[in-house]
């Protein structure tokens, strides 16, 4: 499958990559729309010292689910949260989840493909169902 990579300064390359099967708690999403944000611009301008996949503000359709995924199903339209809080942390259980920084994160995963690719793998807990919302609008949910 095709995936975009970048390297500073402002170098982009379309690559053929293999996508592994989803593991427990993960899903494969076929990307339908992806935004280019300030983080991507920083990577492209000077931060990406080596080639890397990019794109984390995206929406698409769930194509495959790993074991124990219950919040989304194959065929669901979803947008992606880049990260979330640890549901069992002291901060979350005391009503202050915004203070927790140890939850699942899309950015911390090892990636061969991210949002600027045909497909990518995501922790299922970061998927938000978008129903009939157009993909081009749904990808803006992440920065909101």
């Amino acid at each position: 499958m095709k995936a975009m990579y970048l390297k500073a300064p402002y170098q982009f390359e379309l690559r053929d990559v293999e996508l592994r099967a989803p593991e427990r708690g993960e899903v494969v999403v076929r990307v339908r729309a992806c935004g280019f944000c300030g983080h991507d611009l920083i990577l492209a301008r000077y931060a990406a010292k080596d080639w890397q996949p990019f794109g984390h503000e995206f929406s698409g359709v769930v194509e495959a689910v790993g074991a124990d995924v219950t919040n989304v199903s194959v065929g669901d339209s979803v947008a992606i949260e880049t990260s979330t809080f640890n549901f069992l942390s002291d901060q979350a259980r005391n009503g202050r989840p915004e203070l927790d920084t140890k939850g699942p994160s899309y950015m911390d995963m090892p990636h061969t493909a991210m949002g600027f690719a045909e497909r990518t793998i995501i922790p299922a807990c970061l998927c938000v169902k978008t129903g009939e919302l157009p993909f081009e609008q749904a990808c803006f949910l992440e920065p909101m």
Side-chain angles (χ1 to χ4, degrees):
M1 91 174 180
K2 302 289 185 191
M4 286 297 295
Y5 278 62
L6 64 74
K7 180 180 176 183
Y10 300 111
Q11 299 172 71
F12 297 88
E13 182 175 278
L14 185 61
R15 293 184 174 186
D16 287 311
V17 299
E18 294 290 325
L19 193 65
R20 64 177 171 77
E23 296 176 4
R24 168 183 252 151
E26 295 179 333
V27 300
V28 174
V29 171
R30 174 178 283 280
V31 178
R32 297 290 307 271
C34 186
F36 195 90
C37 84
H39 180 263
D40 299 321
L41 187 58
I42 290 168
L43 288 174
R45 184 175 180 190
Y46 53 81
K49 303 298 182 202
D50 199 4
W51 290 103
Q52 65 185 68
F54 68 106
H56 61 271
E57 296 178 1
F58 63 95
S59 61
V61 177
V62 176
E63 276 197 349
V65 298
D68 299 329
V69 172
T70 58
N71 62 314
V72 293
S73 301
V74 171
D76 284 346
S77 295
V78 296
I80 307 311
E81 290 185 77
T82 302
S83 60
T84 190
F85 59 92
N86 176 348
F87 304 99
L88 301 176
S89 72
D90 289 340
Q91 293 91 344
R93 295 191 311 179
N94 288 322
R96 299 299 306 271
E98 72 278 6
L99 298 177
D100 180 82
T101 60
K102 303 268 192 275
S105 172
Y106 179 68
M107 305 298 278
D108 292 340
M109 296 177 65
H111 293 284
T112 57
M114 292 180 71
F116 283 105
E118 294 176 308
R119 293 176 192 83
T120 187
I121 294 177
I122 305 148
C125 64
L126 300 180
C127 292
V128 178
K129 291 183 187 180
T130 58
E132 299 298 318
L133 189 64
F135 295 108
E136 295 81 5
Q137 294 174 12
C139 70
F140 286 109
L141 292 177
E142 190 274 344
M144 294 172 41

